[in-house]
């Protein structure tokens, strides 16, 4: 199918890595950040959040919250922010340039402090998450943030060390080079935070009938209780792709950032990151990035109507199920049979499988995948 790989968001791939410019980092005012934040700082430096070059300033922050766009009008829905308390914020502002360090005090980046500002936590949460219910994990996170935000560009000096979990991480520059080497003109991005069922596989393969390549891109990072652990998502997908996918048609790359559970706004954010990786299309799931019942199942589809300028095309596949009458994977668009003929692996089935060690039917979950899950001691976060 004809098509083309989009330019990065904002037309330029951001690269904020500085080679061996350690300057006088040792003498700099230093702020320790969490591992989760360090992930996102590296994501900024690698251009996964292009066009952001650092933590957003007040103008962009207010614009994102109020309009779902940066100050310059470019689509952006989830602000990337650094919070701190008032006293520390003042010191950072005075210092101008500060070192960012891990919790073991390893300095890895420089933040060029441009501005310090306060923000309305409840109003921001309400706009991003469409609720101010403190039980929502995103709202809870924002409400518990410190009172000041710090905006400014970052320069990263040292990468996070490779670990088994990061073995499949790639930068957008690398994925774009690989897509170009493969000669793909269309690439479908698939976001996941789940272990693969055959229904997911069939959906991905349906997309492969239409486009040159499939970009399987599980999100590795902080998730909520009850989600599958990162190691498990990684190992089950590797087993699935190894056993059932044509290798030349698939790229498997991990994305290291936290789930925000912002539903529709996060669907846009997810699409933008995949555009930066070089995807021309992006599969948006039912209740994409949702949690509980905060979002209408199709809100994440509807929102794309407001973002026709995104330059990555959303694909709204209906959910796949196994139909006992059709004797195949079907969906509501191509099967006329009622719910009594449909077989799906529900969350409840999955939990039962984990607690009893009972393997699901082979046509619902590949045995290679199920074996890994049942042999795992604590599969859930
Ligand atoms: Zn049917």
């Amino acid at each position: 199918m004809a098509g083309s790989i989009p330019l990065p968001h904002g037309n330029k791939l951001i690269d904020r890595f500085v080679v061996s410019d350690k300057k006088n980092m040792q003498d700099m005012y230093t702020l320790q950040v969490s591992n989760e934040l360090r992930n996102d700082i590296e994501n900024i430096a690698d251009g996964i959040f292009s066009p952001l070059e650092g933590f957003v300033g007040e103008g962009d922050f207010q614009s994102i919250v109020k309009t779902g766009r940066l100050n310059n009008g470019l689509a952006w829905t989830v602000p990337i922010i650094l919070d701190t308390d008032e006293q520390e914020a003042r010191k950072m502002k005075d210092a101008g340039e500060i070192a960012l360090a891990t919790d073991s005090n390893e300095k890895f980046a420089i933040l060029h402090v441009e501005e310090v500002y306060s923000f309305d936590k409840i109003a921001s949460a309400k706009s991003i998450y469409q609720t101010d219910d403190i039980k929502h994990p995103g709202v809870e996170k924002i409400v518990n943030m410190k009172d000041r935000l710090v905006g400014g560009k970052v320069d990263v000096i040292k990468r996070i060390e490779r670990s088994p979990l990061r073995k499949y991480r790639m930068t957008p520059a690398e994925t774009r080079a690989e897509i170009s080497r493969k000669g793909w003109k269309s690439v479908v991005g698939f976001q996941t935070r789940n272990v693969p069922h055959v229904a997911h596989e069939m959906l991905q393969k349906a997309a492969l009938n239409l486009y040159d390549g499939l970009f399987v891109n599980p999100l590795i990072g902080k998730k909520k209780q009850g989600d599958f652990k990162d190691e498990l998502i990684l190992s089950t997908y590797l087993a699935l792709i190894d056993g059932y996918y044509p290798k030349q048609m698939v790229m498997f790359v991990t994305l290291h950032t936290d789930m925000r559970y912002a539903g529709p706004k996060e669907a846009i954010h997810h699409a933008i990151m995949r555009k930066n990786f070089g995807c021309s299309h992006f599969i948006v799931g039912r209740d994409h990035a949702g949690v509980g019942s905060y979002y209408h199942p199709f809100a994440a589809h509807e929102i794309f109507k407001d973002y026709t300028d995104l330059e990555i095309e959303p694909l709204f596949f209906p959910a796949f199920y196994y139909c006992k009458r059709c004797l195949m994977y079907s969906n509501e668009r191509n099967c006329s049979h009622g719910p009594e003929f449909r077989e799906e692996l529900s969350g409840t089935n999955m939990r039962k499988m984990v607690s009893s060690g009972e393997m699901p039917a082979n046509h619902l979950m590949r045995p290679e995948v199920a074996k890994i899950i049942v042999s795992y001691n604590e599969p859930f976060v």
Side-chain angles (χ1 to χ4, degrees):
M1 180 171 271
S4 64
I5 302 305
L7 290 172
H9 201 47
N11 297 335
K12 193 181 124 210
L13 196 60
I14 298 304
D15 177 2
R16 301 290 305 179
F17 269 91
V18 178
V19 184
S20 75
D21 180 16
K22 296 223 169 170
K23 281 197 184 169
N24 7 349
M25 260 174 111
Q26 293 319 317
D27 307 325
M28 277 186 193
Y29 183 82
T30 300
L31 181 75
Q32 291 187 342
V33 300
S34 66
N35 289 334
E36 288 83 41
L37 202 58
R38 187 181 183 188
N39 262 324
D40 277 345
I41 293 166
E42 187 158 316
N43 290 337
I44 293 169
D46 277 329
I48 293 172
F49 296 148
S50 294
L52 301 192
E53 298 181 279
F55 296 106
V56 295
E58 187 170 18
D60 278 330
F61 179 82
Q62 292 299 345
S63 178
I64 292 166
V65 167
K66 290 194 180 111
T67 70
R69 291 176 180 277
L70 299 173
N71 235 346
N72 64 8
L74 197 66
W76 200 274
T77 50
V78 174
I80 307 298
I81 47 181
L82 174 65
D83 63 307
T84 186
D85 59 46
E86 192 181 347
Q87 201 185 5
E88 193 152 53
R90 201 175 305 126
K91 286 183 196 154
M92 288 167 74
K93 188 94 206 302
D94 289 344
E97 273 188 338
I98 68 155
L100 298 174
T102 63
D103 48 20
S104 55
N105 214 26
E106 183 195 6
K107 294 175 186 179
F108 67 91
I110 294 170
L111 171 65
H112 306 274
V113 179
E114 282 154 32
E115 55 182 312
V116 166
Y117 55 101
S118 53
F119 68 120
D120 184 335
K121 291 177 184 175
I122 297 294
S124 308
K126 221 169 169 172
S127 167
I128 297 164
Y129 300 103
Q130 294 165 41
T131 174
D132 54 10
D133 183 355
I134 191 75
K135 292 201 286 292
H136 183 292
V139 176
E140 186 193 11
K141 191 173 177 192
I142 256 193
V143 168
N144 288 324
M145 278 184 162
K146 293 173 186 161
D147 291 335
R148 295 285 183 274
L149 298 180
V150 182
K153 294 177 184 173
V154 294
D155 284 319
V156 174
I157 278 102
K158 193 172 184 307
R159 279 194 177 279
I160 301 172
E161 303 222 345
R162 277 282 199 232
S163 63
L165 258 187
R166 298 179 76 82
K167 191 178 166 198
Y168 295 89
R169 185 185 185 274
M170 288 174 82
T171 68
E174 289 166 341
T175 56
R176 285 173 168 272
E178 178 72 5
I179 288 166
S180 162
R181 197 185 61 76
K182 287 173 178 291
W184 291 349
K185 299 292 177 226
S186 56
V187 185
V188 181
F190 186 83
Q191 143 77 27
T192 184
R193 53 178 158 123
N194 209 335
V195 296
H197 307 177
V198 179
H200 301 129
E201 176 187 339
M202 293 302 156
L203 192 154
Q204 292 170 19
K205 288 181 171 175
L208 257 190
N209 287 329
L210 297 170
Y211 306 101
D212 294 342
L214 174 69
F215 187 82
V216 179
N217 195 209
L219 197 145
I220 303 293
K222 205 178 218 172
K223 300 192 183 70
K224 66 180 167 53
Q225 212 180 1
D227 281 353
F228 280 100
K229 281 186 179 163
D230 288 335
E231 304 81 23
L232 198 57
I233 296 169
L234 199 67
S235 52
T236 51
Y237 257 101
L238 289 171
L240 178 72
I241 291 172
D242 188 47
Y244 298 89
Y245 283 55
K247 307 292 172 301
Q248 71 281 8
M249 305 286 281
V250 187
M251 283 174 73
F252 179 77
V253 176
T254 54
L255 171 58
H256 298 254
T257 191
D258 293 351
M259 275 302 296
R260 269 97 174 161
Y261 304 100
K265 297 229 169 173
E266 191 164 5
I268 298 293
H269 181 63
H270 281 173
I272 291 171
M273 290 188 282
R274 276 49 181 236
K275 175 186 174 188
N276 284 328
F277 280 118
C279 296
S280 57
H281 296 76
F282 180 60
I283 295 175
V284 184
R286 189 177 181 277
D287 197 25
H288 191 105
V291 58
S293 52
Y294 290 100
Y295 310 106
H296 185 278
F298 294 108
H301 293 189
E302 288 292 311
I303 192 172
F304 280 85
K305 288 180 186 161
D306 299 330
Y307 290 92
T308 53
D309 55 338
L310 214 52
E311 296 171 334
I312 174 167
E313 199 177 317
L315 300 176
F316 309 124
F317 275 93
F320 281 44
Y321 50 79
Y322 185 80
C323 174
K324 287 190 275 189
R325 291 297 297 280
C326 293
L327 291 179
M328 61 179 221
Y329 271 89
S330 305
N331 60 56
E332 285 182 337
R333 288 165 67 115
N334 58 23
C335 151
S336 58
H337 306 114
E340 67 273 28
F341 298 108
R342 296 176 192 175
E343 288 190 291
E344 288 169 279
L345 263 188
S346 65
T348 318
N349 295 150
M350 295 285 287
R351 254 155 265 273
K352 208 151 85 190
M353 170 180 99
V354 166
S355 60
S356 70
E358 195 183 315
M359 301 276 278
N362 284 358
H363 65 283
L364 296 181
M365 179 170 275
R366 300 294 189 187
E368 294 86 344
V369 170
K371 265 182 213 144
I372 295 173
I373 299 171
V374 295
S375 68
Y376 216 80
N377 264 342
E378 282 290 330
F380 301 114
V381 173

